[in-house]
Amino acid sequence: MVEYSLKKFAQLLFTVFGVVTLVFFTLRFIPGDAASAMAGDAISGEALELLREQMGLNAPLLSQYLIYIKGLVTFDFGVTITTRLPVADLLLRALPVTLSIAVLTIVLTVALSIPLGTLAALMAHRGQNGLDNLITGTAMVLDLMPSFWTALVFLLIFSLTLGWFPASGTVSFDAPMDFLKRIALPVLVLSVTQMATMARITRTAVLEVLSEDYVRTARAMGWSEMRVLFRHALKNASLPIVTVIGLSFGNLLNGTVIVEFIFTIPGIGNLLINGINSRDYQMVQTLIVFYALLFVGINFITDIVYRALDPRVKF
Amino acid sequence: MTQNTINTPASPGMAAPATAWLLRMGKGRFLGNRKARLALVILVPILLLTAFAPLLPLQAPLETNLRAMMQPPSLAHPFGTDRMGRDILARTLSGVQISLFVGLSVALLALVSGMILGTLAGFLGGIVDRTVMSIVDIFLAFPSLLLAIGLVAVMGTGVVPVILAIALADVPRFIRLQRSLVLSLRSRAFIDAARTVKARKSWLMSRHILPNTVAPMLVAASIAAANAILVEASLSFLGLGIMPPVPSLGNIIRDGQTYLEQAWWISTLPGVVILAIAISFHFLSDGVREALDPRSRQ
């Protein structure tokens, strides 16, 4: 176990190093350079030269790279070009917002998709394909709806027409109830687009278990349907579900960018889009690296948890 | 099998036998497949409308009409009009053209480069394999939309950067799939059989391994096309993809966001079209898989 984790961790470090290097050199490929791209047509000549100097673009590439790596390791990501605030501070302020959305989405997705997936499997097992097809079909359509469109449709129905959720307002942890109300709709939108995969996995896993001999034995022993379901089917289905939670985390991060943009929620996704629009490469560079780290970190943890849970996997 | 081989022109390489095989095996079963037919029922009308959009009695996509601003759907404007009196259906159909172009270009780019690099990695092994696969791992460390966003931030907006950005985010998955297909085929019995009769490596590759990777890669490509259409729409919606005034499904929906309450049709109706295209590509990939895989008979 420990040996496997260490080996995986070494691989992780290598990938992280690759990510950091790739992002650095990609940004150096901007036509012209980051300073002139950032300034646009606004400044030229000496002022541009000064900006270059400030951004450290006049130093040799290797030393720029080393400064960048040192900055990442010491959590000093530089300052934004527009507001001159430290990028690290902005990131730390936005992160809890995005993470709350992500965690609540995972909770709601699990709460919605496991009962639906199990129900679909039960129906399919009994040969009642009508309800099974309805659930499976709906899940597929929800999965293929572009998340930004789903968000607008939900906004139109639940906020603007029915008035159940506020469409705008400040987002602050000081007022937890307001905060929850504000992120409720984004979380609902993300869960709806995420639940398809998990419902499908649950359905397959439960359906497979239901036709096992030991389930027939349990039924023959007079166990109630519920007991069979919980003791055997769901217990065995839990492993693939854990894996899916981990694997769909990348999709979830993609989705948070979209909903933060639509619902103007001050998370890291909004920071990223604003960063790109104001050509703030310091910010964009840091955030892209950060998203990648978050993603590979979660994948690493999922892998380890999966191996720890599954008695069949030997180290 | 034999009479078909006679009809096949004797062109060199793997392309001819593979395509002939695909057509021979695929056509009847593809059209006989329920999902494939459903996909065509959705896709063909959209394609026809898109192709013949200029002949329809609609305004041109960029034409404004200040006397018909924010009109709800009607016979003259089936999808309504926007704040400048532009016809949403005409704009949507023009956007579909770009969407399909982006989707097919990305699928083709990812398919071809994935097949080449994946085959090299899987067949040569050793240092080539390790190098290619560590680069693949690095690219897969980014959530896909975020990688595309990052790349567009560097390359700029427009159709070509969008295609390149989405394709770059997709290629690693295709390399990985092709490599795993090549590796698993290499250890199959029919390859051993060919080896025992002293088949050359190039023969094994072109006659036995590559043709067998085509079907799963095509399935992956049609999913990638659907996905690319969704990603392009997302990028354009975020204002990082195809920029106005050129209409794309994403930027039409973005335009309508401001007027969601007064003019719901601007944002919602083009989205239905994206959804319909995505669903049809999804069924198409299921149809291709079921038609080409002899083991998955219905």
Side-chain angles (χ1 to χ4, degrees):
Chain A
M1 175 80 198
V2 176
E3 196 190 330
Y4 176 82
S5 310
L6 285 178
K7 203 180 129 209
K8 275 281 161 184
F9 192 69
Q11 265 178 25
L12 176 78
L13 285 184
F14 182 77
T15 309
V16 166
F17 174 73
V19 163
V20 164
T21 311
L22 181 72
V23 170
F24 176 84
F25 284 103
T26 311
L27 280 171
R28 276 15 181 220
F29 279 125
I30 296 173
D33 61 12
S36 50
M38 204 178 263
D41 300 327
I43 55 171
S44 58
E46 273 176 44
L48 187 60
E49 201 49 44
L50 192 67
L51 182 61
R52 255 186 211 128
E53 193 64 46
Q54 278 178 357
M55 290 172 69
L57 291 174
N58 286 341
L61 205 57
L62 187 64
S63 74
Q64 282 185 44
Y65 181 62
L66 291 176
I67 291 169
Y68 160 75
I69 298 279
K70 189 176 157 233
L72 285 181
V73 174
T74 56
F75 284 95
D76 172 15
F77 308 137
V79 294
T80 68
I81 217 68
T82 39
T83 52
R84 298 259 146 214
L85 292 168
V87 173
D89 287 3
L90 292 173
L91 180 61
L92 280 181
R93 207 175 308 153
L95 187 61
V97 178
T98 302
L99 286 185
S100 325
I101 295 181
V103 170
L104 285 176
T105 301
I106 292 176
V107 172
L108 187 62
T109 310
V110 171
L112 286 174
S113 54
I114 291 187
L116 280 176
T118 313
L119 186 63
L122 270 179
M123 290 302 142
H125 185 66
R126 288 182 193 159
Q128 292 165 316
N129 286 323
L131 191 57
D132 173 38
N133 286 343
L134 182 70
I135 296 175
T136 320
T138 313
M140 189 201 80
V141 172
L142 292 179
D143 187 30
L144 291 173
M145 291 195 324
S147 51
F148 63 93
W149 181 70
T150 316
L152 289 181
V153 171
F154 275 39
L155 192 67
L156 183 63
I157 297 174
F158 295 114
S159 285
L160 300 180
T161 312
L162 297 173
W164 290 357
F165 302 100
S168 57
T170 50
V171 176
S172 156
F173 282 106
D174 298 333
M177 277 321 285
D178 288 347
F179 177 74
L180 279 180
K181 263 191 211 158
R182 186 77 162 71
I183 66 169
L185 202 51
V187 165
L188 186 65
V189 168
L190 283 182
S191 307
V192 159
T193 47
Q194 296 275 307
M195 62 177 270
T197 322
M198 207 174 288
R200 195 168 55 233
I201 299 285
T202 310
R203 180 185 171 279
T204 316
V206 172
L207 194 57
E208 200 172 288
V209 176
L210 282 178
S211 50
E212 292 281 353
D213 286 343
Y214 57 80
V215 168
R216 197 179 51 200
T217 310
R219 285 216 183 94
M221 284 163 63
W223 281 25
S224 72
E225 197 67 0
M226 275 295 153
R227 197 164 162 205
V228 171
L229 209 58
F230 281 96
R231 284 290 282 272
H232 287 305
L234 281 175
K235 204 172 162 191
N236 279 297
S238 61
L239 220 68
I241 292 168
V242 169
T243 320
V244 169
I245 295 178
L247 288 181
S248 56
F249 196 75
N251 256 331
L252 184 56
L253 288 180
N254 290 336
T256 55
V257 177
I258 305 267
V259 294
E260 284 175 16
F261 177 76
I262 293 182
F263 295 96
T264 51
I265 290 166
I268 44 179
N270 236 332
L271 275 187
L272 176 70
I273 303 295
N274 290 337
I276 293 175
N277 287 336
S278 55
R279 297 163 186 271
D280 192 335
Y281 288 101
Q282 198 63 41
M283 179 74 108
V284 174
Q285 166 179 302
T286 310
L287 290 179
I288 293 282
V289 167
F290 187 79
Y291 271 115
L293 295 193
L294 205 57
F295 184 39
V296 289
I298 295 286
N299 279 347
F300 171 72
I301 293 170
T302 313
D303 192 23
I304 302 296
V305 168
Y306 178 83
R307 273 159 193 275
L309 285 181
D310 191 346
R312 285 167 301 188
V313 178
K314 291 272 187 299
F315 285 96
Chain B
M1 172 98 195
T2 27
Q3 76 257 38
N4 274 308
T5 335
I6 296 166
N7 292 339
T8 314
S11 52
M14 52 137 297
T19 345
W21 176 81
L22 282 179
L23 287 176
R24 198 165 64 232
M25 297 294 290
K27 202 166 61 187
R29 276 207 260 151
F30 181 71
L31 291 177
N33 185 290
R34 196 169 54 96
K35 283 179 181 160
R37 279 204 309 269
L38 193 58
L40 293 181
V41 166
I42 308 174
L43 203 54
V44 169
I46 295 180
L47 287 179
L48 286 178
L49 279 177
T50 310
F52 295 108
L55 301 178
L56 297 175
L58 292 172
Q59 265 169 239
L62 296 180
E63 194 184 317
T64 57
N65 179 358
L66 296 182
R67 271 174 299 183
M69 296 186 301
M70 309 273 256
Q71 294 286 311
S74 64
L75 266 183
H77 305 284
F79 277 21
T81 63
D82 66 6
R83 69 181 192 288
M84 291 195 265
R86 294 176 298 190
D87 186 87
I88 301 293
L89 180 61
R91 293 178 67 69
T92 301
L93 291 178
S94 169
V96 169
Q97 259 179 22
I98 296 184
S99 293
L100 292 173
F101 180 68
V102 170
L104 296 179
S105 313
V106 167
L108 197 66
L109 274 176
L111 184 69
V112 171
S113 38
M115 278 192 108
I116 295 173
L117 290 169
T119 308
L120 285 178
F123 205 63
L124 296 177
I127 183 83
V128 180
D129 188 28
R130 260 172 287 149
T131 316
V132 171
M133 291 322 284
S134 25
I135 296 174
V136 163
D137 279 343
I138 292 170
F139 273 88
L140 289 179
F142 299 93
S144 55
L145 178 66
L146 282 154
L147 180 56
I149 289 178
L151 289 169
V152 197
V154 175
M155 293 191 289
T157 55
V159 177
V160 175
V162 165
I163 291 175
L164 289 179
I166 305 175
L168 258 173
D170 269 349
V171 168
R173 278 165 245 278
F174 278 81
I175 297 179
R176 194 181 248 192
L177 177 61
Q178 175 74 4
R179 174 180 175 272
S180 72
L181 289 168
V182 169
L183 285 182
S184 76
L185 283 166
R186 260 175 55 172
S187 57
R188 295 272 291 278
F190 70 94
I191 299 291
D192 285 341
R195 280 217 186 92
T196 53
V197 296
K198 294 211 169 107
R200 268 176 293 117
K201 264 195 170 180
S202 58
W203 176 270
L204 282 180
M205 201 67 221
S206 62
R207 292 291 156 143
H208 295 297
I209 294 185
L210 282 183
N212 277 307
T213 64
V214 173
M217 290 293 276
L218 277 181
V219 174
S222 69
I223 294 172
N227 193 44
I229 288 172
L230 293 179
V231 176
E232 180 272 314
S234 305
L235 289 175
S236 300
F237 178 80
L238 293 171
L240 306 169
I242 287 146
M243 303 303 270
V246 178
S248 97
L249 293 171
N251 72 33
I252 300 171
I253 295 177
R254 175 192 170 94
D255 271 353
Q257 194 193 348
T258 329
Y259 309 100
L260 202 56
E261 220 168 349
Q262 303 95 306
W264 55 270
W265 52 88
I266 307 179
S267 285
T268 47
L269 296 180
V272 177
V273 176
I274 305 185
L275 181 59
I277 296 177
I279 291 177
S280 65
F281 271 78
H282 188 87
F283 279 141
L284 205 62
S285 77
D286 278 355
V288 171
R289 185 175 53 228
E290 283 167 15
L292 292 184
D293 185 354
R295 274 159 302 179
S296 79
R297 288 273 169 82
Q298 280 179 299

